[in-house]
Amino acid sequence: MYLFKTVPDLQAYLRPYREKRRVIGFVPTMGALHEGHLSLVEQSLERSQCTVCSIFVNPTQFNESSDLEQYPRHPEHDLQLLYEAGCQAVFMPEVAEIYPDGTSAGSMEQLDFGGLDRVMEGAHRPGHFEGVAQVVKRLIDIVGPDLMFMGEKDYQQLLIVRRMVQQLELPVEVVGCAIVREADGLAMSSRNQRLNAAARAQAPAIYQALLQAAEAASEHSAADIRQMGTKALSDAGLEPEYFELADADTLQPVHALQEAEQVRAFAAAWAGGIRLIDNLPVKGGPA
Ligand code: PAF
């Protein structure tokens, strides 16, 4: 496995793959890797001849500086995991390598996310998706992948990145990958490492609330399901931020399940000061 810190070094390594028209797979991450990330790497290894994984904690997508400072960082351990997984190349740049002209340059204001960015995470984390789009665009420009693998835990992010790729006509296929869960159902996330024991014990209630929503979907109104979901999170000792039922394509809230072919339930809640998100199909999609 090769480790690159600069754009020219990574690009020189990738040139022969590109010249021979080999498939380049890309897994963008912010490090603190877990089984969820490794499943993305595995899927990339299956479908490409060269898998590049980036580890870059992107400052422009954090709307709170304390969150950025406390974001878990274990580069040595991450490299070990990627090596064991069989990843061919790791890109671990400094901030100045990604943003040589400063973090505000090349912002994504001209993009129209069609309302995908105005609900849920977009409404609760102002500027977050602009930062995600900015860094993902830059990383795609640097790596030039044929396939890019992203997890469905950040489902809204996945749809926004797909929309950006479509609008800018970037020659990459964005492959959405299923959420990987702990044995008790908690969606794997780098943030889980920051949960204390009490919060870790409460956190699986998010998945339970989503499952309950999926079961109730055919018999209850969307408003009732939102209320039940929010209450289930509070009853478990979590601080719910939202519990939403939304069209799986537009992410706009649904009022009745018949309104959309595919509906997903989405939740964001705080557990012991750590913000967690999760989602589950409730209509028309694999549960
Ligand atoms: O999902 C993440 O880890 C990040 O948002 C991403 C896509 C690597 C961009 O920084």
Side-chain angles (χ1 to χ4, degrees):
M1 184 175 82
Y2 292 88
L3 169 62
F4 300 100
K5 301 223 163 190
T6 70
V7 174
D9 286 352
L10 174 68
Q11 290 183 336
Y13 168 80
L14 290 174
R15 197 163 301 126
Y17 285 97
R18 219 179 302 288
E19 281 166 2
K20 291 186 191 133
R21 298 191 186 283
R22 301 282 193 261
V23 177
I24 298 174
F26 177 44
V27 180
T29 82
M30 297 206 297
L33 302 183
H34 49 69
E35 290 294 324
H37 294 115
L38 297 178
S39 84
L40 304 180
V41 171
E42 267 166 40
Q43 290 174 68
S44 176
L45 287 170
E46 273 169 27
R47 292 190 54 188
S48 31
Q49 275 88 48
C50 176
T51 291
V52 181
C53 177
S54 65
I55 298 177
F56 178 66
V57 182
N58 173 37
T60 70
Q61 70 187 75
F62 286 83
N63 50 322
E64 283 182 25
S65 54
S66 61
D67 194 20
L68 171 61
E69 279 152 29
Q70 289 167 28
Y71 200 82
R73 289 167 172 86
H74 314 292
E76 310 270 295
H77 187 237
D78 289 346
L79 290 174
Q80 184 63 32
L81 291 177
L82 290 172
Y83 173 73
E84 285 165 15
C87 183
Q88 280 95 4
V90 181
F91 182 45
M92 214 193 276
E94 296 293 335
V95 172
E97 192 70 16
I98 294 293
Y99 300 117
D101 302 319
T103 49
S104 53
S107 69
M108 308 303 290
E109 280 136 30
Q110 75 279 15
L111 286 176
D112 172 15
F113 295 120
L116 288 173
D117 57 330
R118 287 200 284 273
V119 293
M120 300 187 288
E121 294 304 282
H124 288 268
R125 301 184 65 190
H128 170 64
F129 286 126
E130 283 81 357
V132 170
Q134 179 189 23
V135 77
V136 173
K137 164 76 169 62
R138 174 85 178 118
L139 289 168
I140 291 173
D141 287 347
I142 292 170
V143 178
D146 301 286
L147 303 170
M148 180 168 70
F149 297 82
M150 301 184 80
E152 286 187 347
K153 187 184 74 69
D154 297 293
Y155 188 84
Q156 192 171 3
Q157 163 174 281
L158 174 66
L159 262 51
I160 285 179
V161 167
R162 279 213 177 111
R163 176 129 182 152
M164 175 185 77
V165 162
Q166 199 182 17
Q167 259 183 73
L168 299 177
E169 298 181 6
L170 304 176
V172 56
E173 181 191 335
V174 182
V175 183
C177 303
I179 298 175
V180 180
R181 298 182 180 281
E182 302 284 356
D184 59 11
L186 176 64
M188 292 211 182
S189 163
S190 303
R191 291 174 196 274
N192 295 353
Q193 300 175 12
R194 293 181 53 212
L195 295 169
N196 63 31
R200 176 64 187 82
Q202 292 166 337
I206 301 175
Y207 181 54
Q208 293 306 324
L210 292 168
L211 282 177
Q212 186 191 46
E215 277 164 28
S218 53
E219 287 163 29
H220 293 264
S221 69
D224 282 353
I225 292 172
R226 278 188 195 96
Q227 207 172 27
M228 283 160 56
T230 309
K231 183 172 175 328
L233 297 176
S234 304
D235 288 351
L238 302 165
E239 272 179 63
E241 209 167 83
Y242 60 78
F243 193 94
E244 192 55 273
L245 280 191
D247 183 308
D249 292 324
T250 65
L251 296 185
Q252 299 313 299
V254 296
H255 305 288
L257 287 187
Q258 310 83 268
E259 271 174 35
E261 274 187 20
Q262 298 200 4
V263 178
R264 278 178 108 98
F266 296 83
W270 293 84
I274 308 300
R275 189 171 183 282
L276 302 174
I277 60 170
D278 196 356
N279 69 88
L280 194 73
V282 301
K283 180 187 167 193

Short mmCIF file of all heavy atoms in Angstrom, two decimals, residues 30-56:
data_model
loop_
_atom_site.label_atom_id
_atom_site.label_comp_id
_atom_site.label_asym_id
_atom_site.label_seq_id
_atom_site.Cartn_x
_atom_site.Cartn_y
_atom_site.Cartn_z
N MET A 30 -13.08 10.64 6.43
CA MET A 30 -12.43 11.59 7.34
C MET A 30 -11.66 10.81 8.42
O MET A 30 -11.39 11.34 9.50
CB MET A 30 -13.47 12.52 7.98
CG MET A 30 -14.16 13.38 6.92
SD MET A 30 -14.80 14.94 7.55
CE MET A 30 -16.01 14.36 8.71
N GLY A 31 -11.35 9.56 8.12
CA GLY A 31 -10.55 8.76 9.05
C GLY A 31 -11.36 8.23 10.21
O GLY A 31 -12.59 8.16 10.14
N ALA A 32 -10.65 7.81 11.29
CA ALA A 32 -11.29 7.11 12.42
C ALA A 32 -12.12 5.96 11.84
O ALA A 32 -13.32 5.84 12.08
CB ALA A 32 -12.13 8.06 13.27
N LEU A 33 -11.45 5.15 11.06
CA LEU A 33 -12.14 4.14 10.24
C LEU A 33 -12.77 3.03 11.09
O LEU A 33 -12.27 2.67 12.14
CB LEU A 33 -11.16 3.54 9.23
CG LEU A 33 -10.49 4.54 8.29
CD1 LEU A 33 -9.58 3.81 7.30
CD2 LEU A 33 -11.50 5.40 7.55
N HIS A 34 -13.86 2.49 10.55
CA HIS A 34 -14.56 1.37 11.20
C HIS A 34 -15.02 0.41 10.11
O HIS A 34 -14.75 0.63 8.92
CB HIS A 34 -15.73 1.89 12.04
CG HIS A 34 -16.62 2.86 11.31
ND1 HIS A 34 -17.42 2.49 10.25
CD2 HIS A 34 -16.79 4.20 11.44
CE1 HIS A 34 -18.07 3.54 9.79
NE2 HIS A 34 -17.69 4.60 10.49
N GLU A 35 -15.76 -0.62 10.54
CA GLU A 35 -16.20 -1.66 9.58
C GLU A 35 -17.01 -1.08 8.41
O GLU A 35 -16.98 -1.62 7.31
CB GLU A 35 -17.07 -2.69 10.30
CG GLU A 35 -16.32 -3.58 11.27
CD GLU A 35 -15.33 -4.49 10.56
OE1 GLU A 35 -15.62 -4.95 9.45
OE2 GLU A 35 -14.24 -4.71 11.12
N GLY A 36 -17.73 0.00 8.68
CA GLY A 36 -18.52 0.63 7.62
C GLY A 36 -17.61 1.12 6.50
O GLY A 36 -17.85 0.86 5.32
N HIS A 37 -16.53 1.82 6.88
CA HIS A 37 -15.58 2.30 5.87
C HIS A 37 -14.94 1.10 5.14
O HIS A 37 -14.75 1.13 3.93
CB HIS A 37 -14.44 3.09 6.52
CG HIS A 37 -14.88 4.38 7.14
ND1 HIS A 37 -14.80 4.61 8.50
CD2 HIS A 37 -15.38 5.52 6.60
CE1 HIS A 37 -15.23 5.83 8.75
NE2 HIS A 37 -15.59 6.41 7.63
N LEU A 38 -14.60 0.08 5.93
CA LEU A 38 -13.90 -1.06 5.32
C LEU A 38 -14.81 -1.79 4.33
O LEU A 38 -14.33 -2.33 3.33
CB LEU A 38 -13.37 -2.00 6.41
CG LEU A 38 -12.31 -1.35 7.32
CD1 LEU A 38 -11.86 -2.32 8.40
CD2 LEU A 38 -11.10 -0.84 6.53
N SER A 39 -16.12 -1.75 4.58
CA SER A 39 -17.02 -2.38 3.61
C SER A 39 -17.02 -1.57 2.31
O SER A 39 -17.17 -2.14 1.22
CB SER A 39 -18.44 -2.54 4.18
OG SER A 39 -19.16 -1.35 4.01
N LEU A 40 -16.84 -0.27 2.38
CA LEU A 40 -16.73 0.54 1.16
C LEU A 40 -15.46 0.17 0.40
O LEU A 40 -15.45 0.04 -0.83
CB LEU A 40 -16.70 2.04 1.48
CG LEU A 40 -17.86 2.63 2.31
CD1 LEU A 40 -17.65 4.13 2.52
CD2 LEU A 40 -19.18 2.39 1.64
N VAL A 41 -14.37 0.00 1.16
CA VAL A 41 -13.09 -0.38 0.54
C VAL A 41 -13.24 -1.75 -0.13
O VAL A 41 -12.82 -1.94 -1.28
CB VAL A 41 -11.95 -0.39 1.58
CG1 VAL A 41 -10.68 -1.00 1.01
CG2 VAL A 41 -11.69 1.03 2.10
N GLU A 42 -13.89 -2.68 0.57
CA GLU A 42 -14.09 -4.03 -0.01
C GLU A 42 -14.86 -3.96 -1.32
O GLU A 42 -14.51 -4.62 -2.30
CB GLU A 42 -14.92 -4.89 0.95
CG GLU A 42 -14.09 -5.72 1.90
CD GLU A 42 -14.96 -6.28 3.01
OE1 GLU A 42 -16.11 -6.69 2.73
OE2 GLU A 42 -14.48 -6.27 4.16
N GLN A 43 -15.92 -3.14 -1.32
CA GLN A 43 -16.73 -3.04 -2.55
C GLN A 43 -15.94 -2.39 -3.67
O GLN A 43 -16.07 -2.76 -4.83
CB GLN A 43 -18.02 -2.28 -2.25
CG GLN A 43 -18.93 -3.14 -1.38
CD GLN A 43 -20.18 -2.44 -0.90
OE1 GLN A 43 -21.05 -2.14 -1.70
NE2 GLN A 43 -20.28 -2.19 0.39
N SER A 44 -15.08 -1.45 -3.31
CA SER A 44 -14.23 -0.82 -4.32
C SER A 44 -13.22 -1.83 -4.86
O SER A 44 -12.98 -1.90 -6.07
CB SER A 44 -13.51 0.39 -3.71
OG SER A 44 -12.63 0.93 -4.66
N LEU A 45 -12.65 -2.63 -3.97
CA LEU A 45 -11.65 -3.63 -4.41
C LEU A 45 -12.28 -4.63 -5.38
O LEU A 45 -11.63 -5.07 -6.33
CB LEU A 45 -11.08 -4.36 -3.19
CG LEU A 45 -10.11 -3.54 -2.32
CD1 LEU A 45 -9.80 -4.28 -1.02
CD2 LEU A 45 -8.82 -3.24 -3.07
N GLU A 46 -13.56 -4.95 -5.12
CA GLU A 46 -14.24 -5.91 -6.00
C GLU A 46 -14.47 -5.34 -7.40
O GLU A 46 -14.47 -6.07 -8.38
CB GLU A 46 -15.61 -6.28 -5.42
CG GLU A 46 -15.54 -7.42 -4.45
CD GLU A 46 -16.84 -7.60 -3.69
OE1 GLU A 46 -17.92 -7.23 -4.21
OE2 GLU A 46 -16.76 -8.09 -2.54
N ARG A 47 -14.68 -4.04 -7.48
CA ARG A 47 -15.10 -3.46 -8.77
C ARG A 47 -14.03 -2.65 -9.48
O ARG A 47 -14.28 -2.10 -10.53
CB ARG A 47 -16.33 -2.58 -8.54
CG ARG A 47 -17.56 -3.42 -8.13
CD ARG A 47 -18.82 -2.60 -8.13
NE ARG A 47 -19.07 -1.92 -9.38
CZ ARG A 47 -20.04 -1.02 -9.56
NH1 ARG A 47 -20.84 -0.73 -8.55
NH2 ARG A 47 -20.21 -0.43 -10.72
N SER A 48 -12.86 -2.50 -8.86
CA SER A 48 -11.84 -1.67 -9.54
C SER A 48 -10.47 -2.33 -9.46
O SER A 48 -10.24 -3.23 -8.66
CB SER A 48 -11.81 -0.27 -8.94
OG SER A 48 -12.15 -0.26 -7.59
N GLN A 49 -9.57 -1.82 -10.28
CA GLN A 49 -8.20 -2.37 -10.28
C GLN A 49 -7.32 -1.62 -9.30
O GLN A 49 -6.26 -2.09 -8.90
CB GLN A 49 -7.58 -2.28 -11.68
CG GLN A 49 -7.92 -3.45 -12.58
CD GLN A 49 -9.20 -3.21 -13.33
OE1 GLN A 49 -9.38 -2.15 -13.91
NE2 GLN A 49 -10.09 -4.18 -13.33
N CYS A 50 -7.72 -0.40 -8.95
CA CYS A 50 -6.95 0.36 -7.98
C CYS A 50 -7.91 1.09 -7.05
O CYS A 50 -8.79 1.83 -7.52
CB CYS A 50 -6.06 1.38 -8.70
SG CYS A 50 -5.16 2.43 -7.54
N THR A 51 -7.78 0.86 -5.75
CA THR A 51 -8.62 1.54 -4.78
C THR A 51 -7.81 2.60 -4.04
O THR A 51 -6.76 2.30 -3.46
CB THR A 51 -9.23 0.53 -3.78
OG1 THR A 51 -10.17 -0.27 -4.48
CG2 THR A 51 -9.93 1.24 -2.61
N VAL A 52 -8.33 3.83 -4.10
CA VAL A 52 -7.71 4.95 -3.36
C VAL A 52 -8.66 5.31 -2.23
O VAL A 52 -9.86 5.50 -2.45
CB VAL A 52 -7.54 6.20 -4.27
CG1 VAL A 52 -6.89 7.34 -3.50
CG2 VAL A 52 -6.76 5.86 -5.53
N CYS A 53 -8.11 5.42 -1.02
CA CYS A 53 -8.92 5.88 0.11
C CYS A 53 -8.32 7.20 0.59
O CYS A 53 -7.10 7.29 0.78
CB CYS A 53 -8.89 4.83 1.23
SG CYS A 53 -9.78 5.36 2.70
N SER A 54 -9.14 8.23 0.73
CA SER A 54 -8.60 9.49 1.28
C SER A 54 -8.98 9.61 2.74
O SER A 54 -10.06 9.16 3.17
CB SER A 54 -9.12 10.70 0.49
OG SER A 54 -10.51 10.81 0.65
N ILE A 55 -8.05 10.17 3.50
CA ILE A 55 -8.30 10.47 4.91
C ILE A 55 -8.04 11.95 5.07
O ILE A 55 -6.90 12.42 5.00
CB ILE A 55 -7.37 9.66 5.84
CG1 ILE A 55 -7.62 8.16 5.65
CG2 ILE A 55 -7.56 10.08 7.29
CD1 ILE A 55 -6.70 7.27 6.47
N PHE A 56 -9.12 12.71 5.23
CA PHE A 56 -8.97 14.16 5.33
C PHE A 56 -10.14 14.70 6.15
O PHE A 56 -11.30 14.57 5.73
CB PHE A 56 -8.96 14.79 3.92
CG PHE A 56 -8.87 16.29 3.95
CD1 PHE A 56 -7.71 16.92 4.43
CD2 PHE A 56 -9.92 17.09 3.51
CE1 PHE A 56 -7.62 18.32 4.47
CE2 PHE A 56 -9.84 18.47 3.54
CZ PHE A 56 -8.69 19.08 4.02
#
